Amino acid sequence: MAIEGPLKELGIHDVFQLLDLSRKTGALRVTSELRHNQGTIYFEDGTIIFAEIRSNPHPLGALLLRTGKFNEERISDVPTEILVRIPVEALLMEGARRIDEWSRIEGRIPHLGVVASLAPPPPGGGGELDLLPPEWEVLALIDDRRDIRALATELGRSDFDVAKTLFGLESAGVIVLVDPGTAKRGRPTVAGEVAELVAKAEQALHRRDFGAARAAAEQAATTQPHDPVVHLLLGRLHLAQGAPPAAVEELRRALRLDPLLAPAYRQLGYALVALGRFGEALESWEQWERLAARSDEEMAELPNVQRARDAARVFQGMGATHG
């Protein structure tokens, strides 16, 4: 008996599990009028053996040519359709992993229309880029015009794969991601707007109005995603709200953008202590002390750092004794 109906009545994962448990053989066709797309999954005794989707019509031969695995002379020996055997449970676990990763990157990539452009070089120049081949492949196609869909089509890779690669490149400060639908044009000065937003966030943070502080800081990050001071501010905000893992991520990003940003090392030490990573915290504060001498404002924090450092050493020793 055929199964047909809207997925709002029965989740797609439930359908997959039903076909798996009943050891069905046949084809499952999923259609989206909203996305003008259609995918088909073929089952044999409940196991997935083949799948195709309208939005990614790249045959295997074309992909092998693109990646250099085969040349034109040998490509006629390669079948365009190859059957596989993928357990439904493994596919659902992979889907859950991808959903989790999408939730992590959607703050920077809210949809597939986001466009990437090369980031300006950091002050004083930067070091050599150490990228993987798939990252170089994406980077070579960035031209300020292609969005994620266009890049994925050109490369013959999935939207998810390209979005994940772009997120990594943006986090490393190599590219800038822009949403054409919300990008502001003709702004008088980006630096002035960012400075105003940072000041607004600082005032709100001082009042412990975390909602207002976050709104201003995140707007500043959208306006200038490669400003280390903005990421330092976001790190402090996460730390104040009791979210040390997010604080560490933002503070490390600030330091990738500016390795001489002394306050970031100080705040990073506090965040690492909150996570029980005392050795890393001590290393961060050692780096801070080397840089703090350049600033009277940072040197004023020395007593606070010293107290935190002493406590971290005690806890580190306790861990070593009981380990």
Side-chain angles (χ1 to χ4, degrees), residues 3 6 34 51 66 103 148 171 174 234 248 267 304 321:
I3 301 175
L34 178 64
R66 186 183 300 278
S103 66
I148 293 174
S171 298
V174 178
L234 284 168
V248 168
Q267 297 291 340
N304 295 329
T321 302

Side-chain angles (χ1 to χ4, degrees), residues 5-73:
L7 286 176
K8 65 181 179 180
E9 304 295 338
L10 189 65
I12 186 65
H13 60 284
D14 294 322
V15 175
F16 272 66
Q17 289 178 329
L18 177 62
L19 296 176
D20 177 30
L21 293 173
S22 56
R23 299 293 186 265
K24 292 290 186 180
T25 296
L28 171 65
R29 184 169 292 107
V30 182
T31 303
S32 171
E33 296 181 1
L34 178 64
R35 299 177 183 275
H36 306 291
N37 210 354
Q38 176 178 289
T40 307
I41 306 98
Y42 298 87
F43 291 80
E44 184 178 276
D45 296 329
T47 299
I48 297 165
I49 58 172
F50 188 76
E52 58 186 348
I53 189 168
R54 183 191 298 161
S55 61
N56 187 26
H58 305 284
L60 177 63
L63 296 179
L64 292 173
L65 272 177
R66 186 183 300 278
T67 57
K69 302 297 183 182
F70 283 83
N71 54 34
E72 291 285 359
E73 290 74 21

Side-chain angles (χ1 to χ4, degrees), residues 39-118:
T40 307
I41 306 98
Y42 298 87
F43 291 80
E44 184 178 276
D45 296 329
T47 299
I48 297 165
I49 58 172
F50 188 76
E52 58 186 348
I53 189 168
R54 183 191 298 161
S55 61
N56 187 26
H58 305 284
L60 177 63
L63 296 179
L64 292 173
L65 272 177
R66 186 183 300 278
T67 57
K69 302 297 183 182
F70 283 83
N71 54 34
E72 291 285 359
E73 290 74 21
R74 296 183 59 196
I75 198 62
S76 58
D77 301 328
V78 180
T80 58
E81 295 183 359
I82 292 181
L83 298 183
V84 296
R85 298 195 69 83
I86 302 176
V88 166
E89 183 180 358
L91 182 69
L92 293 179
M93 289 180 64
E94 173 64 15
R97 183 188 68 82
R98 292 195 176 198
I99 290 173
D100 182 64
E101 290 201 45
W102 266 120
S103 66
R104 185 168 59 89
I105 69 176
E106 67 180 352
R108 298 298 307 135
I109 305 178
H111 56 80
L112 299 179
V114 169
V115 175
S117 60
L118 297 178

Side-chain angles (χ1 to χ4, degrees), residues 1-312:
M1 181 179 66
I3 301 175
E4 184 176 347
L7 286 176
K8 65 181 179 180
E9 304 295 338
L10 189 65
I12 186 65
H13 60 284
D14 294 322
V15 175
F16 272 66
Q17 289 178 329
L18 177 62
L19 296 176
D20 177 30
L21 293 173
S22 56
R23 299 293 186 265
K24 292 290 186 180
T25 296
L28 171 65
R29 184 169 292 107
V30 182
T31 303
S32 171
E33 296 181 1
L34 178 64
R35 299 177 183 275
H36 306 291
N37 210 354
Q38 176 178 289
T40 307
I41 306 98
Y42 298 87
F43 291 80
E44 184 178 276
D45 296 329
T47 299
I48 297 165
I49 58 172
F50 188 76
E52 58 186 348
I53 189 168
R54 183 191 298 161
S55 61
N56 187 26
H58 305 284
L60 177 63
L63 296 179
L64 292 173
L65 272 177
R66 186 183 300 278
T67 57
K69 302 297 183 182
F70 283 83
N71 54 34
E72 291 285 359
E73 290 74 21
R74 296 183 59 196
I75 198 62
S76 58
D77 301 328
V78 180
T80 58
E81 295 183 359
I82 292 181
L83 298 183
V84 296
R85 298 195 69 83
I86 302 176
V88 166
E89 183 180 358
L91 182 69
L92 293 179
M93 289 180 64
E94 173 64 15
R97 183 188 68 82
R98 292 195 176 198
I99 290 173
D100 182 64
E101 290 201 45
W102 266 120
S103 66
R104 185 168 59 89
I105 69 176
E106 67 180 352
R108 298 298 307 135
I109 305 178
H111 56 80
L112 299 179
V114 169
V115 175
S117 60
L118 297 178
E128 295 183 359
L129 289 179
D130 183 15
L131 302 179
L132 297 173
E135 294 173 322
W136 280 115
E137 190 179 37
V138 172
L139 191 63
L141 290 181
I142 291 176
D143 59 1
D144 300 340
R145 297 190 304 274
R146 290 187 179 98
D147 60 14
I148 293 174
R149 288 191 191 91
L151 289 172
T153 300
E154 180 71 19
L155 293 168
R157 288 160 59 178
S158 69
D159 296 334
F160 170 78
D161 183 43
V162 172
K164 183 179 176 181
T165 299
L166 291 175
F167 178 76
L169 292 173
E170 196 271 345
S171 298
V174 178
I175 64 169
V176 177
L177 296 173
V178 178
D179 184 348
T182 59
K184 298 180 180 179
R185 304 191 181 278
R187 288 179 296 202
T189 62
V190 172
E193 182 178 353
V194 170
E196 183 178 344
L197 288 168
V198 168
K200 183 178 179 180
E202 289 279 6
Q203 293 169 3
L205 183 58
H206 182 72
R207 300 192 309 267
R208 300 189 67 79
D209 184 351
F210 296 133
R214 178 177 294 279
E218 289 181 348
Q219 187 178 347
T222 301
T223 304
Q224 187 59 278
H226 298 293
D227 188 327
V229 173
V230 172
H231 293 289
L232 168 61
L233 175 59
L234 284 168
R236 290 170 52 210
L237 179 58
H238 285 305
L239 193 57
Q241 290 185 285
V248 168
E249 183 178 346
E250 289 292 349
L251 293 167
R252 289 201 186 283
R253 180 178 293 188
L255 289 170
R256 284 196 299 269
L257 293 168
D258 183 1
L260 301 180
L261 189 60
Y265 287 104
R266 174 166 53 84
Q267 297 291 340
L268 179 59
Y270 295 140
L272 289 168
V273 162
L275 292 174
R277 292 154 61 178
F278 304 114
E280 293 178 63
L282 292 172
E283 292 176 4
S284 186
W285 283 327
E286 287 176 6
Q287 183 64 25
W288 169 80
E289 194 166 11
R290 284 192 287 269
L291 297 171
R294 306 179 184 181
S295 166
D296 292 339
E297 183 178 356
E298 283 302 301
M299 285 304 296
E301 294 288 335
L302 184 58
N304 295 329
V305 172
Q306 190 59 53
R307 284 192 294 270
R309 180 184 292 170
D310 291 342

